[in-house]
Structure formats: structure tokens, C-alpha cells
Amino acid sequence: MTKQNYTDEINRIKKEKEVTIVAHFYQKDEVFELADFSGDSLQLAKMAMEDKNSNLVFCGVGFMGESVKILSPQKRVFMPKLACCAMARMIDGEHYDTSVALLEKQGIKKDDIMPITYINSSAAVKARVGKMGGMVCTSSNAKKIIEKALKSGKKILFVPDKQLGQNIARINSLSSCVIGDGKDPKDADIICYNGFCSVHQLFTPDDVEFFRNKYPGIKIVSHPECRVDVCELSDFVGSTSQIIKYIQDLDVNQKVAVGTEYNLVNRLREKNTYVLSSTKPECPTMNETTLEDLYKTLKSIEDGKPLNEVFLDEDTTKWAKIALERMFEI
Ligand code: 13P
Ligand code: SF4
């Protein structure tokens, strides 16, 4: 089938079966172009909740489809690829329990811990966080959520992204540590789990220096999953949608180098936008979804034998929903 055939068929089935297609900004252009909604993790979760259609095809990574299912359990959520974010895979329920046990061993009582999980985590981790009185955050609201959590007077356990946790600590002049780094967690306001994004980890201070030397006056923009030393050197740090807005508001002649996933950066502006790297920072899991996969998913819905539907058990949904809803309340 040609690209046009796929596109026509996808649009036909979408209309006939009342399906909404949602895509994250990191999706391939061929998929992204067919989405009814696109956005950052927070926007996608909200949009999907408010959408009237009961069938939703989510083009992104596993935790995103799961979050929609948790927030709207009555909807049927399908994913063209059940691709799992590499960072989300770094922590499962058992790793979470082990981390809490380790902190208890180091003299921090469970009751004195306020857990916050980045949305890039499994439903099982979100549910554990919910049960312990904690909540979810995304890259666009992490600062606000942590500030609120600190008011509890408890220690923050931030999972799984150590970079996001440390970046928020830095801008709020708080102390932080990473589990296993040898520091005493009792001295830290924010205790981070040792997870990270393999894509955003690629950007380095040398890349910043290279672009600043090559193009004096260039703006450096990064995602808060980037290393702390990279964010520190950046002119702007924000979620994917915040990055897009910042760049759209710049003068067209303003050069900008961006530290985030390739598909997003490539789509931003024709001129004066660079990827903050000498390599191509593609997210392998986001890039797994193809136009053909999207077509096959829609066709399977039409044929009554849907592929890759997201299912979660009741208890996990209940507690993960509580953790997500606490975020929305803030
Ligand atoms: P955003 O919430 O900023 O879209 O980030 C999601 C993500 O996975 C970044 O790597
Ligand atoms: Fe996960 Fe990183 Fe890919 Fe985002 S870019 S989905 S954090 S692996």
C-alpha cells in the first residue's frame, strides 16, 4: 500500500468507527500528521479524558496509553505499538518497594516519605505512590508538584528520573541525592531514584559550548530530562510543549539549539534550529510506531478483532488514578 492509501484508509475507518487518534510530539511525521490531538504528556492525558469518542488510538509509549486508561477506564485504548519508554522500564513495583525499604534502613520512616513519580513510570509504580499518599508529576508541572509536596514537611522520594528530580532541586535551591550515590539521604530534601532517559542523557555541556562558539548569541533550549549541567547552561528548560511555544515566540532569525528528541526538533522551524548534538537523538521506542502499524490497529478495530488494547487490573487502576488525580487537583 502507498502512503496515500494508508492515509485514506486510516481517515475512513477513524470516521466510521468514531476513533480518536492521539500522538506525542516524538512520533514519526507520518504518524504525527494523522493525529486528532498532539501534545506533551500532561496535555495528552487531559485531552484524552475530555474527548467524546469511546475508542482512542494512542501513538506514543506504554505509560502514556496506560495513563489515559487509568483516567478514563470506560474508554477503550489501543496502541499501535506497545512500546515501553526506556526510563519507565528502569523501575517496577519491586524496585520501588526496595527503594523505600532501603531508605527505612537508613533511618527515614515510611510515614516520613512523600513519594512523587514522574508520569514516565508504569501503572504499578503510580499505584504504589498513590497508596503511600503521593502523586504523579509531568515535566511541565514538576516544579509546582514538588513545591506542594514539600509543604507536607516530609522527604520527597522522586522516581524514576534523577535528572528531573535534581533539576527541580537546583532551581528551588534544595538539596538532593541519588539513591546509591553514597550521600546520606537524611541530608537531602529530594531523594532521587537512579533512573534516566537514554536519549536526553546524550546532550552534554560540550555540545552547548560547541554551539555557543559556532553561533554566538544562539539560544540553548533543553528538556528537564537532560543532565543538570546541561540545563544549568540552557537559556530555557521546559516540557515538549513549552519548548515548542518558546521557539515559536522567538524571532525567525534567532538561532536556537534544542536538547530533545529529533522528530520534534526537526518539525519545529525550517531555519535556524539545530539539534543540540552531533548525533541524531531519536527515541527508539517512540520511533517504533509506523504508519502501517497505525493502519493495522484501525483495521483491527473495524474487523472486530482489536490489536494491542490496554488493560489494567482494578486495584492498580484505583490507586494509580488517585496519584494522577492528586496532580490534577494541584
Ligand atoms: P513531555 O511530557 O515533555 O512531552 O515529555 C515526555 C517525554 O517522554 C520526554 O522524553
Ligand atoms: Fe522515555 Fe526518553 Fe523516549 Fe521520553 S525520550 S519516551 S523519557 S526513552
Side-chain angles (χ1 to χ4, degrees), residues 29-161:
D29 286 351
E30 62 186 33
V31 171
F32 188 80
E33 284 158 9
L34 289 171
D36 299 297
F37 296 127
S38 54
D40 65 21
S41 309
L42 182 64
Q43 292 171 328
L44 291 178
K46 274 193 193 159
M47 285 170 188
M49 247 192 327
E50 287 157 12
D51 185 52
K52 63 172 185 8
N53 283 339
S54 51
N55 286 327
L56 203 132
V57 172
F58 201 110
C59 305
V61 286
F63 74 82
M64 296 180 171
E66 278 187 355
S67 297
V68 173
K69 184 71 187 169
I70 293 163
L71 290 164
S72 314
Q74 74 289 358
K75 280 190 201 278
R76 297 191 71 180
V77 182
F78 308 95
M79 299 196 73
K81 271 279 156 71
L82 290 173
C84 189
C85 157
M87 182 203 291
R89 279 172 71 160
M90 289 181 185
I91 184 165
D92 61 15
E94 281 178 29
H95 293 135
Y96 178 84
D97 294 342
T98 311
S99 305
V100 173
L102 199 76
L103 295 182
E104 283 186 297
K105 249 189 173 170
Q106 291 179 286
I108 303 173
K109 288 199 213 100
K110 195 170 172 180
D111 282 349
D112 294 334
I113 299 172
M114 173 58 78
I116 308 286
T117 182
Y118 187 26
I119 198 164
N120 296 36
S121 56
S122 66
V125 169
K126 290 187 181 80
R128 278 167 162 83
V129 166
K131 270 186 193 167
M132 265 180 73
M135 55 201 148
V136 175
C137 76
T138 73
S139 57
S140 55
N141 63 20
K143 186 174 181 303
K144 218 173 170 181
I145 299 285
I146 290 186
E147 279 167 4
K148 171 81 182 172
L150 281 164
K151 293 204 173 113
S152 67
K154 298 184 180 188
K155 291 247 175 249
I156 308 286
L157 168 60
F158 191 84
V159 303
D161 188 8

Side-chain angles (χ1 to χ4, degrees), residues 171-228:
I171 55 176
N172 281 4
S173 304
L174 296 166
S175 58
S176 63
C177 73
V178 178
I179 294 177
D181 69 359
K183 289 189 197 159
D184 186 345
K186 289 202 284 308
D187 297 334
D189 301 307
I190 305 180
I191 304 161
C192 305
Y193 184 81
N194 192 7
F196 57 87
C197 165
S198 45
V199 182
H200 288 89
Q201 201 76 1
L202 288 174
F203 308 108
T204 64
D206 283 351
D207 295 323
V208 177
E209 199 188 329
F210 172 84
F211 278 98
R212 288 219 194 274
N213 286 339
K214 185 156 180 185
Y215 303 112
I218 194 168
K219 298 275 186 208
I220 306 291
V221 170
S222 56
H223 192 277
E225 288 172 14
C226 290
R227 288 168 37 167
V228 177

